[in-house]
Amino acid sequence: WDKAAMEGKVAVHAKVLEHEVAVLRKDIENVEEGQDPYFFEEDYSVAASTAWLVWEGSWALIELLRRENDPWLRRLVDGRRVLELGAGTGLLGLAVAAAGGHCVLTDVRSMTEGSLRPNVEGNHTPPREAAAGLSPTAGAAARPADTRLQGWTGAGSMVGPTGSADVQALDWFKPVSSQCFPIDVTQAEVILAAECAWLAELVEPFVRTLVALLSAAHGPKCVFAFRERAGDASTAFIGRGEVLRRLEEAGCEV
């Protein structure tokens, strides 16, 4: 990134299968008082303003992608169409791409254009480097053709030897059916939701959006991760149990 892009931000790195990805996040340690540049955007909210950081739920899933002794998440995303909800900086989705997934990173439009797209473009792997990085365990030849579907049609930047990443706005307060262009997000096979439903006001639109995505005929799965923040008397935060209860009430198998 150039000096202008780095202003007020710091780089955060993660390595998966020997491929390193990096994103820019807010430099909260040296933040200066001032107006959030996206404060007047139509989709601005308290939740959106926190998306400039990399939160614990994302790191937990990245660690699962790195795991060697039980790499179930890496196997789940490898070669598949993955959709990340509330992607923020995009570090998790880029780590998925480094692990061989084809990940579409979504958030409200102000975040997709201000954070996600620049971070994805900054991690593009040139085709020659991608080909050089193929290995017997990570390459396309390791994937049985009859059990893996193709990547998203027309999606993305190459990330790592076999993965790809792209960006699309997805606002939970709007119907999913109206947000399926240019990429049809309902074609996701795996959905990742890290730190998506910690505010009480977000639970209803989050559940509505997730249920719409999980209702696809091909039977997608969701991996959900977030840190418990709700206390017994909390009104602003919501606990994991309540989120899971509402998903079950909406017909999801938890």
Side-chain angles (χ1 to χ4, degrees):
W1 292 282
D2 59 27
K3 186 176 180 181
M6 289 290 296
E7 186 176 356
K9 303 182 183 75
V10 293
V12 183
H13 302 258
K15 181 178 278 190
V16 178
L17 289 180
E18 301 305 314
H19 185 82
E20 186 171 276
V21 294
V23 299
L24 294 181
R25 68 155 175 84
K26 271 187 178 178
D27 184 4
I28 57 173
E29 292 82 4
N30 299 295
V31 67
E32 296 180 4
E33 291 298 326
Q35 183 69 58
D36 189 311
Y38 296 97
F39 183 81
F40 293 105
E41 295 288 338
E42 181 182 358
D43 55 16
Y44 183 89
S45 65
V46 172
S49 71
T50 68
W52 285 94
L53 303 176
V54 183
W55 295 94
E56 294 94 328
S58 292
W59 280 119
L61 294 183
I62 290 170
E63 287 304 315
L64 286 173
L65 288 169
R66 291 168 165 166
R67 185 180 288 179
E68 293 296 335
N69 60 343
D70 184 20
W72 66 268
L73 184 57
R74 203 161 67 232
R75 289 171 180 162
L76 181 66
V77 302
D78 182 28
R80 292 195 166 92
R81 297 187 298 268
V82 182
L83 187 76
E84 185 184 2
L85 299 178
T89 63
L91 187 64
L92 172 58
L94 287 165
V96 166
H102 300 287
C103 192
V104 174
L105 292 75
T106 69
D107 213 307
V108 294
R109 188 167 300 280
S110 60
M111 285 306 302
T112 60
E113 300 310 310
S115 175
L116 281 176
R117 197 172 301 282
N119 281 337
V120 168
E121 291 173 354
N123 284 274
H124 174 66
T125 304
R128 186 174 299 176
E129 292 181 22
L134 286 172
S135 69
T137 57
R143 301 187 188 120
D146 59 342
T147 61
R148 298 286 196 248
L149 298 178
Q150 297 299 310
W152 303 83
T153 302
S157 291
M158 195 76 179
V159 178
T162 61
S164 65
D166 210 335
V167 174
Q168 183 154 304
L170 183 61
D171 189 330
W172 305 342
F173 289 87
K174 299 177 182 178
V176 169
S177 59
S178 68
Q179 302 178 81
C180 292
F181 183 83
I183 301 170
D184 185 357
V185 294
T186 66
Q187 293 303 304
E189 298 172 89
V190 180
I191 300 161
L192 299 181
E195 304 288 356
C196 284
W198 50 277
L199 276 177
E201 66 188 59
L202 292 179
V203 175
E204 183 178 344
F206 168 74
V207 169
R208 186 168 57 243
T209 298
L210 185 55
V211 168
L213 294 167
L214 291 173
S215 298
H218 57 272
K221 294 179 173 60
C222 176
V223 180
F224 182 51
F226 78 108
R227 178 182 174 182
E228 189 70 79
R229 293 180 174 85
D232 293 338
S234 178
T235 56
F237 299 139
I238 193 161
R240 178 177 65 100
E242 177 62 15
V243 177
L244 297 180
R245 184 186 69 78
R246 295 197 193 184
L247 285 168
E248 287 182 321
E249 286 184 348
C252 295
E253 183 180 338
V254 177

